[in-house]
Amino acid sequence: QVHFRTHRNLRHRSIFYYKMRTFVLIALFAVCATAESSDAPIQKVIQLMQNMVAKAKTEKQDEQVAFSAYNQFCTDTTESKTKAIAAGAARIDQLSTDIAKYSSDINSDAKAIAGLNADVSKWEADAAAAKAQRKAENGEYEALNRDLSESVDALERAINTLKKQNYDRKQAEESLLQVKKSASVPASAKRVIAAFLATSSKKQDPDTAFLAAPEANAYEFQSSSVIDMLKGLLDKFDEERNTAQREEANALHAFNMVTQDLTDQVAAANEEIGEKTSEKASSEKDKAAAEGDHADTTSVHAEDSHYLKDLNALCQQKSDDFAARQSLRADEIEALNKAIEIMSSDAVSGSGSKHLNLAQTAMSFVQLRATGNGLQQKAANYLQRRPLSSTATRSACLRSRWPLTHSSP
């Protein structure tokens, strides 16, 4: 920017020096023209300068029209780019907010999925443990129920056999031995049965030999007493079996309730895991799209900002240049009008050449702009064609050609 201003100052200084040279030519031309005591050459110069004024005004107006269009372009483009930059900034902020939300949703879904997977693993482990426990409990029940059922069946057969007046002793002994072997029969009942079997059979049962104490052999068993005892055992075993069956049914129902609840929880969790997984995938897709839009919008926003900055600088430079040109053209028009005024005065027209105030002419034409190069050439050509009235004046007119040997800025 400093370099640009320095260049501009040097350019204006060169234009100033060029104006000085132009002034010298025009002033000497006026002297040469008046020395002939004729108005025709002066009128030609005045007409030439009037044409220059008209051309300068036209060029000044054309520059105003062109600059107006360019300035409108600057205004419209600046407005549209400013709006685009503001919209881009808002879009970037919105996309940043969306990306943050998508990231939060993804993390939330990931945590929820991890928690649900942990719950599913726990519930499946609980279900497996419940099944193992149920299997063990059912095994115990089956063993107990089988023993009680066998004992009840043996007792019923023994009671029915003993109730007969002439019962089959062998059949009765088999039934009582089966009852005696049951794990559910109390030890006291087993001793009674063993004693009864020992007295009711001549051949002692090896399994009951240790019970054949002298006291037991002396005890007189009555079949009715044994039947009563067996009936008591039957009622007891039957009740225990019914109780075991009810407990097994309740345990099975509780197990089914627990496993069904666990199954439902696992199914619901798996369904929610599927939903969360789908939501997470959707959020990841939306986040990727938002990040792409954010990058593109940020790039366009940066380009628009850079373009607007360059445009503002260029428009300002064009505006400054236009103002400088308009000022120069105004100065040119003013200088030409002043020169026309002087050339049209009585001091110059007619035979009053000796009254021409060269100092006044110098002060006027020192402001003539560098575009007067065409006028210099025409004036020089005119002086070369015209005969002059005196040797001194001719010498002065010839010396007026020296500016043409210098290059214009």
Side-chain angles (χ1 to χ4, degrees), residues 116 120 123 262-275:
L116 289 169
V120 168
W123 293 332
L262 290 172
T263 301
D264 293 342
Q265 287 180 318
V266 169
N270 285 329
E271 182 178 357
E272 190 172 358
I273 287 172
E275 293 175 355

Side-chain angles (χ1 to χ4, degrees), residues 250-271:
N250 292 335
L252 179 60
H253 178 70
F255 167 76
N256 290 334
M257 292 278 292
V258 169
T259 54
Q260 185 61 48
D261 183 61
L262 290 172
T263 301
D264 293 342
Q265 287 180 318
V266 169
N270 285 329
E271 182 178 357

Side-chain angles (χ1 to χ4, degrees), residues 36-289:
E36 299 183 55
S37 300
S38 175
D39 291 339
I42 294 177
Q43 291 301 321
K44 288 184 178 182
V45 173
I46 291 174
Q47 182 63 44
L48 182 61
M49 288 190 293
Q50 287 175 342
N51 292 339
M52 291 178 65
V53 169
K55 182 179 179 181
K57 288 182 178 180
T58 300
E59 291 177 350
K60 187 172 182 290
Q61 179 63 29
D62 291 343
E63 284 185 355
Q64 290 175 350
V65 173
F67 179 75
S68 177
Y70 181 78
N71 189 56
Q72 187 62 45
F73 161 76
C74 290
T75 301
D76 294 343
T77 305
T78 298
E79 181 180 358
S80 63
K81 284 297 180 182
T82 300
K83 290 181 179 179
I85 290 171
R91 177 63 175 165
I92 290 172
D93 290 341
Q94 182 60 50
L95 288 171
S96 297
T97 301
D98 292 343
I99 291 171
K101 182 180 182 300
Y102 293 141
S103 297
S104 177
D105 291 344
I106 290 170
N107 292 333
S108 178
D109 289 337
K111 290 180 180 179
I113 291 171
L116 289 169
N117 282 326
D119 291 340
V120 168
S121 298
K122 179 179 179 300
W123 293 332
E124 289 177 343
D126 291 344
K131 289 179 180 179
Q133 182 179 358
R134 173 88 279 270
K135 184 177 181 180
E137 290 175 351
N138 180 256
E140 294 176 358
Y141 161 74
E142 290 294 338
L144 177 61
N145 183 67
R146 184 171 53 254
D147 183 68
L148 289 173
S149 296
E150 292 175 354
S151 298
V152 167
D153 182 67
L155 286 170
E156 287 177 346
R157 285 187 286 104
I159 291 171
N160 291 332
T161 301
L162 291 175
K163 280 183 177 180
K164 296 177 181 179
Q165 188 172 3
N166 296 317
Y167 59 86
D168 186 348
R169 292 181 180 274
K170 184 177 181 180
Q171 183 179 0
E173 288 177 359
E174 291 177 354
S175 299
L176 290 174
L177 285 173
Q178 186 176 359
V179 172
K180 178 176 165 292
K181 292 178 180 179
S182 173
S184 302
V185 176
S188 58
K190 290 182 178 181
R191 287 195 295 269
V192 172
I193 293 173
F196 177 77
L197 292 173
T199 58
S200 63
S201 177
K202 292 181 180 181
K203 185 178 179 181
Q204 190 174 5
D205 184 8
D207 294 334
T208 60
F210 69 96
L211 295 175
E215 299 86 18
N217 292 331
Y219 186 80
E220 184 178 2
F221 288 99
Q222 299 294 329
S223 61
S224 58
S225 298
V226 173
I227 291 173
D228 291 339
M229 182 193 70
L230 295 178
K231 286 182 177 180
L233 289 174
L234 176 62
D235 294 338
K236 178 178 179 295
F237 291 165
D238 191 55
E239 179 62 26
E240 288 180 358
R241 185 175 62 176
N242 292 336
T243 301
Q245 289 175 347
R246 286 193 302 270
E247 290 178 351
E248 170 64 12
N250 292 335
L252 179 60
H253 178 70
F255 167 76
N256 290 334
M257 292 278 292
V258 169
T259 54
Q260 185 61 48
D261 183 61
L262 290 172
T263 301
D264 293 342
Q265 287 180 318
V266 169
N270 285 329
E271 182 178 357
E272 190 172 358
I273 287 172
E275 293 175 355
K276 292 293 183 182
T277 301
S278 178
E279 291 175 1
K280 181 172 176 288
S282 178
S283 296
E284 290 172 342
K285 181 180 178 181
D286 292 340
K287 180 185 177 183

